Amino acid sequence: MLSTIYSAGINGVDGYIVTVECDVRDKLAAFDVVGLPDAAVKEAKERIHTAIDNSGINFPDAAIVINMAPADTKKSGTAFDLAMLVGILRSSGYINQSVPFDKKCFLGELSLSGNVRSVRGVLCMVLALKEKGIREIYVPAANAREASVVSDVEIYGVENVRQLLNHLNGKKPIEPIRFDPEMLKQTRNDVRLDFSDVKGQARAKRAMEIAAAGGHNLLLIGPPGTGKSMLAKRLPTILPDMSFDEAVEVTKVYSIAGMLPDGVSLITSRPIRSPHHTMSSAALAGGGMVPVPGEISLAHNGVLFLDELPEFTRSVTEVLRQPLEDGAITITRANGKIRFPSSFMLLCAMNPCKCGYRGHPTHQCTCKAEDVKRYLSRISGPLLDRIDIQVEMPSLTKTEISGMDTGERSEVIRERVNKAREFSAERFRDGCGVYSNAKMLPSQIRKYCVMEPDAEKLLSDAFERIGLSARGYDRILKVARTIADLDQSEKISALHMGEAIQLRTLDRNYM
């Protein structure tokens, strides 16, 4: 007897529907799986056979052929186990034939005991199945909360084969899992970290507020002990709240990577990734035989922090150039191309020289001129040009260190950042797909970055004096637009433009 069951696969962060056709005939016992399966899918035969036996069900002594369509797409992973098992049981008469399966889908890996194990990328697959009209989806119990994020579908968490069989035959129904929208309001930021912990550095704090409000890339440069890493660790405490769509995008990436924390159905706080400078370009960009997201994709809708930027190899930092412009990275393999989202805010920190004390008021710099030049040349001009804000952090004085002034708390700064984002969101309600000023396209810059005459003249003078590139010109406009948003101003004034220019000149001073 022939049965048709639906399952799903993964391509990048996008799911696609897979039709599992199962034919069981009273012939010499055999078990074949066709449809371009990989090794993990082929091994499902042994898992299914043993899981059925250990669930107290007699495995059919028959010829079994399973075809996975589309047959020209390579199937990888273990998420098809449950659908193949259901196909065999239905074709063998263990499931009531009157039960309709045209709107059902099954995802999950089988253990030898008959339990259903969690799989990666469930959220991505459920979103794709919803688009195809599937409204009843069975997933491992460990993935049920994650899948419940998708609206207008019924999610059933399955623990074992016997439980699923009883449900499908109407003996003991499984209750569907419901999503709690209040989870979006929850955050997992470390409450022990606060901007008020950082003494002094008012200009750097202001720069980080602007960067957070507009999603701008930021470079902090200064000698050791000035608070660069300390500020970077506290950046998540002032980042704006994520929208539901942004939270879903982040959760999809972490689900694919197998990094979604236990018991978490939706990642509601912006991620911050801080890879070590010894990492490879593949670890940054993503890849592998079955490509998985790299650090830049894990930082999607969040922050990628590169401490000691010149210590990263040139091949690693050059990987950043295309994702910073496009907000995504395409990984090409012999079997095809996979695209991962990578719209992140780049935060970098570095010393002014190899020893770190160039220009320090009390410490003597031990670097030769050629050593300084060699150290700074590790950062390419094109990458530096893509960093919107560049801030010099001077050494703290004894008065600043010992003073009682703690500055503003993170929650106060975060409130201003959220208001600025809400102000800018009014401009982007035309469906342009932009969430922050840093991601504006040239046409949007011309439309939304309206300058007062004094501001326009100031930018023209700076273009000639500093020698800005066309990209640098646009990025100053974006930063100025964000500063105006913080002031709730529709037009960019000369004051806004002057501050934006001051936050762009560091690369000329050092490089």
Side-chain angles (χ1 to χ4, degrees), residues 198-414:
V198 183
K199 298 291 184 70
Q201 303 298 1
R203 188 163 181 262
K205 290 179 181 178
R206 169 65 174 173
M208 296 198 85
E209 178 182 341
I210 296 169
H216 302 287
N217 303 323
L218 173 64
L219 171 65
L220 303 175
I221 182 168
T226 53
K228 301 187 296 294
S229 299
M230 196 174 183
L231 276 174
K233 291 177 182 178
R234 284 153 179 78
L235 179 59
T237 64
I238 67 168
L239 290 176
D241 300 327
M242 278 202 294
S243 67
F244 180 78
D245 290 340
E246 288 178 307
V248 169
E249 290 174 2
V250 173
T251 306
K252 285 170 63 177
V253 174
Y254 276 74
S255 179
I256 288 293
M259 297 175 63
L260 196 63
D262 293 338
V264 174
S265 60
L266 191 67
I267 295 178
T268 57
S269 59
R270 296 185 183 273
I272 178 166
R273 305 293 298 179
S274 181
H276 194 261
H277 63 79
T278 56
M279 74 181 308
S280 65
S281 56
L284 184 67
M289 290 295 294
V290 178
V292 294
E295 290 292 335
I296 59 175
S297 295
L298 293 172
H300 181 59
N301 286 335
V303 180
L304 179 66
F305 175 46
L306 302 184
D307 199 7
E308 303 297 342
L309 179 62
E311 299 299 330
F312 287 82
T313 62
R314 191 69 170 260
S315 61
V316 169
T317 56
E318 291 304 291
V319 168
L320 296 169
R321 289 167 57 177
Q322 181 251 337
L324 284 173
E325 292 293 324
D326 300 342
I329 186 165
T330 302
I331 299 173
T332 304
R333 294 291 181 267
N335 295 330
K337 296 180 179 180
I338 291 180
R339 185 179 176 88
F340 289 120
S342 56
S343 179
F344 57 91
M345 174 181 161
L346 179 63
L347 173 61
C348 303
M350 62 177 287
N351 295 328
C353 64
K354 184 68 175 178
C355 76
Y357 293 106
R358 180 188 177 200
H360 197 280
T362 57
H363 283 76
Q364 180 68 35
C365 177
T366 59
C367 300
K368 299 179 182 178
E370 55 268 25
D371 294 333
V372 175
K373 185 177 181 181
R374 189 181 305 112
Y375 178 76
L376 296 177
S377 67
R378 296 180 184 177
I379 308 172
S380 69
L383 176 62
L384 191 66
D385 210 29
R386 287 170 168 83
I387 299 178
D388 307 5
I389 301 173
Q390 304 147 7
V391 180
E392 185 175 12
M393 295 179 63
S395 300
L396 296 175
T397 64
K398 183 179 180 301
T399 303
E400 288 175 318
I401 296 173
S402 60
M404 298 301 293
D405 184 15
T406 58
E408 290 182 305
R409 294 186 58 82
S410 293
E411 59 184 353
V412 177
I413 302 174
R414 183 189 178 98

